[in-house]
Amino acid sequence: MLKLSTLLLAGAAAATFATAPAVAQQKAPLTILRIIDADNYDPIRSTATAAAEVMYMLADTLVTVDFDMKTIKPGLAESWTISPDGKTYTFKLRKDVKFCDGRPMTVDDVVYSLKRWIDPASKSPVSFRAGPVKDIRADGDSTLIYELKEPYSDLMFQLALSFASVVDKATVEKLGANFGVQGFNGTGPYCWSKWTPRQELVLKKNPHYSWGPPIYKDPKPQIDEIVWKVIPESNTLMAAIQAKQADVTYYMPYIALDTMQRIPGMTVQRQDNYIYDVFMGFKVDKPVAKDKAIREAANMATNKEAIAKAIFFGKGQTLPSLLNPAVLDYDKSSADKMPKYDPAGAAKLLDAAGWKPGADGIREKDGQKATFTVYGIRNDSNPRISEAMQADLRKVGIDMKIQLWDATVAWGKLATQEFDAFLMSYPYVTATEAMSLYFRSQQVPTPNRMNWKDPKTDELLKSAATATDADKRKQALAEVQTQLTEANVWVPLVSQPLWVVATDRVEGVRAHGLYGAGLYKGLDLKLKR
C-alpha cells in the first residue's frame, strides 16, 4: 500500500503542479481542499454536507456540540431552560454578537431565521428537524421562547445543526433566491467574500467576532482569509497537500493516509466520535426484496470486514449494527441480533425458504429469480462497495444488479420506485434522528426509500421523540432498533472515518465532524508563516 500511494502522490505532484504558483510561504490564505461543492449556501435550502461544513464558519446557531458529539454547549444562547413538560425552551441570548456587516444581532433576528426555516413557503427540505413548533417568539430584548405542540427530545441537537443558522433578514430579502449564491450575511467567525461554483469559496475574517463556543480555546478567528477549494480528483488533491500547495483537508484518499503520516511535519488525526455510516437499504415491498430470507441472507453473505479493509484501506470500521456504536442511545443488545458473516449459513437459509439454485446458479422461487437492482451515487467508494457485495451475494445464488448515477441526477433517481435496494451514506448525531429520518411512515417515499410502513415503528419513534425522560427514550429506541435489526431492512456496511490532514504551516487543528464538518467553526486555527 505504501509503494502504491507513494507513486500516486509523486506522479500526480509532478504532472499537476509543475507550473502551479507556490503558496506555501504566503501568510494568507488558509486553503482547505475538498472534493465537492454545494449547490447553494442558504442554510434552509441545502441538505449537503458540503454546505454545512462552510455554513458553520459563516453563521452561528443557538447551541453547539462538543467534540464528543454528545454534549450540548452554548452558542448564540449563553444559557437555557426547559419546562417540566418538555414543550417550552427558553434561551437567554448573548448581547455582544454582530453580523459580518457590523450590525448587532437581536432576538428578532433569531426569531426571523428560525421561523423562516419552518415556514411552508420556504419549502425547506429539513424543516421537520425543527420539531412540532407551536410558536417561536421574543420575550424582551434578549430572551427567545421556543414553544412546541408536544415534547421533542432531539430539539437541542437539531438546533445545533447548520439548518438552524441565524441569518440577516435584510440580506435575505435583498438577494431573494440568490441568498447563499451571490452573498451571505451571518454572525459566524468568517464572512462571505466570493464564490466561484465548483471551484472555490473565499471567506474573510469577521472583524467583530469574539463569541466562539467554549469548546475552543480562543473565541476569536486568527486567520484573515480562508479559501475552500474544490479538487474533485483524488490524486490531484493528495498531491496538492504533499506539495504544500494547500494546507488542510479531510477528504484525503484512504490509500494515502499512511504515507501522509510518514511525511515529516504533516499532522494526521482521526475523530473517533465521527458518525457517517454506509448502508444498503431494501425496498420491502418489491418482489424479491420483500422476502425477509433474501434480506437476511444478504446480511450474512456480505463480507463487511473485507470491504472495510479493501476499500477503506483499514481506516474504516465495519458497522456491527443498524446504528453506529458511538451514537447517543445506541442499543448493544439489538446489535447482538445482527446476523454475522456466514455465507454457508446464508445458503442454508435460502434453501429452507424455498429459494433453489437454477441452472445458472441464481436461485429461483415460484418462477421468480433471486435478482434485485441497487441504485446509488457514483463516488469514490460506491462502485467498489457495490461490486464487492455483488460478488459476495453471487456466491450464495443472489444476483445483485448495480446502477450508479452521477450526483447531479442520482437524488432524482433515488426518489423513484424504480429500484429494489439503494446504497447510502449519511451523518447523524442521535439514534432518534437517524431512525426518525429513515423509518417513519410519514417519510415515504424519501428519505424512507425502503417503503417501510409499520405502526409499531411509528409508535416507538413517537415515544422516543416525545419522551421527557432519558431512560424512557432509550428504551423505546432500543425496541425499534431490535425490531428493524430482526427485519433486516438494512445491510449496515461501514462507518466512514474522519481523518484531518494538515501541513506544518497550520497549528491548532482538531477534527470535529458535526454533520460532516471536519473543522466546524474553524477556531483555534493559526498559520505559522
Side-chain angles (χ1 to χ4, degrees):
M1 186 174 94
L2 178 59
K3 290 183 179 179
L4 174 59
S5 58
T6 303
L7 286 171
L8 285 170
L9 288 163
T16 308
F17 288 98
T19 61
V23 297
Q25 298 304 315
Q26 296 179 5
K27 185 174 182 180
L30 171 78
T31 301
I32 304 169
L33 296 187
R34 54 184 180 156
I35 61 174
I36 194 170
D37 204 346
D39 50 347
N40 70 81
Y41 292 92
D42 182 339
I44 69 167
R45 287 199 294 136
S46 180
T47 62
T49 54
E53 65 188 4
V54 173
M55 194 58 58
Y56 289 120
M57 293 188 178
L58 286 172
D60 291 320
T61 50
L62 283 171
V63 292
T64 59
V65 178
D66 209 338
F67 289 90
D68 64 359
M69 293 294 118
K70 293 181 179 179
T71 306
I72 298 294
K73 294 287 188 176
L76 293 175
E78 57 188 11
S79 65
W80 54 87
T81 58
I82 305 173
S83 63
D85 65 1
K87 295 182 182 180
T88 303
Y89 291 65
T90 302
F91 296 94
K92 296 293 183 181
L93 304 182
R94 298 183 64 113
K95 298 179 180 179
D96 57 348
V97 178
K98 292 184 179 180
F99 285 95
C100 278
D101 64 2
R103 182 177 68 82
M105 185 199 79
T106 69
V107 65
D108 292 335
D109 292 309
V110 184
V111 171
Y112 166 77
S113 300
L114 297 177
K115 283 192 171 182
R116 177 175 180 262
W117 178 24
I118 64 174
D119 185 350
S122 297
K123 297 181 180 179
S124 172
V126 290
S127 60
F128 68 92
R129 291 177 177 271
V133 176
K134 180 178 180 180
D135 190 26
I136 301 173
R137 61 186 182 274
D139 181 11
D141 60 0
S142 61
T143 300
L144 178 84
I145 307 296
Y146 198 109
E147 189 176 3
L148 301 168
K149 298 173 184 175
E150 61 186 18
Y152 179 41
S153 62
D154 225 36
L155 180 61
M156 294 297 283
F157 286 97
Q158 298 304 316
L159 290 178
L161 296 182
S162 61
F163 316 118
S165 295
V166 172
V167 297
D168 172 47
K169 179 180 179 180
T171 306
V172 172
E173 293 181 342
K174 176 183 177 182
L175 296 176
N178 287 319
F179 177 72
V181 177
Q182 295 181 352
F184 190 94
N185 189 21
T187 69
Y190 291 92
C191 304
W192 179 286
S193 179
K194 180 178 63 175
W195 182 33
T196 306
R198 295 177 295 281
Q199 294 185 37
E200 66 179 30
L201 176 62
V202 180
L203 309 181
K204 299 284 188 181
K205 181 172 69 174
N206 183 345
H208 316 287
Y209 197 93
S210 62
W211 50 88
I215 66 172
Y216 290 105
K217 296 177 182 178
D218 196 328
K220 298 180 179 180
Q222 300 298 308
I223 296 172
D224 292 332
E225 182 177 283
I226 292 179
V227 177
W228 287 86
K229 187 176 290 293
V230 179
I231 306 291
E233 207 282 315
S234 298
N235 286 351
T236 307
L237 182 145
M238 57 188 179
I241 291 292
Q242 187 192 36
K244 297 185 179 179
Q245 302 267 345
D247 302 297
V248 184
T249 188
Y250 44 92
Y251 290 95
M252 183 64 62
Y254 302 115
I255 191 174
L257 287 172
D258 285 346
T259 298
M260 291 296 169
Q261 288 176 315
R262 292 179 171 87
I263 297 176
M266 198 73 71
T267 299
V268 181
Q269 60 172 270
R270 176 176 181 148
Q271 164 57 296
D272 293 330
N273 301 313
Y274 186 62
I275 300 174
Y276 208 121
D277 295 346
V278 184
F279 68 91
M280 185 178 79
F282 287 103
K283 281 193 182 297
V284 297
D285 53 358
K286 287 287 188 171
V288 174
K290 70 180 180 182
D291 192 321
K292 182 177 177 294
I294 291 286
R295 304 197 301 266
E296 186 173 354
N299 248 316
M300 297 170 69
T302 301
N303 191 338
K304 303 169 189 178
E305 185 174 349
I307 289 174
K309 288 182 178 179
I311 297 170
F312 294 90
F313 296 92
K315 303 303 181 185
Q317 294 180 323
T318 57
L319 272 174
S321 50
L322 199 68
L323 295 179
N324 195 299
V327 77
L328 184 68
D329 293 328
Y330 171 76
D331 180 59
K332 187 180 184 306
S333 65
S334 66
D336 294 338
K337 297 177 175 62
M338 179 62 65
K340 303 299 185 287
Y341 177 58
D342 183 4
K348 290 180 180 178
L349 174 66
L350 292 168
D351 286 337
W355 290 96
K356 304 301 182 182
D360 58 357
I362 303 303
R363 293 177 180 270
E364 300 178 17
K365 179 180 179 180
D366 300 331
Q368 173 72 58
K369 286 273 193 179
T371 299
F372 69 89
T373 299
V374 61
Y375 275 15
I377 298 173
R378 184 175 298 281
N379 55 24
D380 282 348
S381 58
N382 278 351
R384 291 176 291 164
I385 291 174
S386 57
E387 288 166 9
M389 291 188 69
Q390 184 183 56
D392 286 342
L393 298 189
R394 186 64 175 78
K395 292 174 184 177
V396 299
I398 298 175
D399 178 31
M400 186 180 92
K401 299 183 184 301
I402 304 167
Q403 180 63 69
L404 303 180
W405 309 87
D406 182 83
T408 56
V409 298
W411 292 110
K413 291 291 185 180
L414 288 167
T416 70
Q417 295 295 326
E418 300 170 355
F419 54 94
D420 308 294
F422 64 101
L423 273 176
M424 184 65 62
S425 59
Y426 75 118
Y428 56 102
V429 185
T430 70
T432 305
E433 176 188 352
M435 297 289 90
S436 296
L437 181 66
Y438 279 105
F439 289 100
R440 288 190 307 153
S441 298
Q442 300 95 311
Q443 302 292 82
V444 172
T446 179
N448 183 347
R449 301 174 182 88
M450 296 80 62
N451 295 334
W452 177 263
K453 299 177 182 179
D454 185 272
K456 181 181 178 183
T457 302
D458 291 340
E459 179 185 346
L460 289 170
L461 290 176
K462 178 79 168 179
S463 296
T466 59
T468 56
D469 179 85
D471 290 336
K472 290 182 179 179
R473 183 190 69 236
K474 191 175 184 68
Q475 178 58 38
L477 289 167
E479 289 186 43
V480 78
Q481 287 175 67
T482 295
Q483 179 202 21
L484 296 169
T485 298
E486 292 177 339
N488 286 275
V489 187
W490 283 3
V491 178
L493 293 167
V494 182
S495 176
Q496 295 183 131
L498 176 68
W499 292 82
V500 177
V501 178
T503 70
D504 57 6
R505 196 170 79 104
V506 190
E507 64 180 22
V509 176
R510 185 179 178 188
H512 195 274
L514 183 63
Y515 203 79
L519 298 175
Y520 198 32
K521 308 301 292 184
L523 298 175
D524 289 346
L525 295 178
K526 297 179 182 179
L527 294 175
K528 298 179 182 178
R529 58 182 185 275

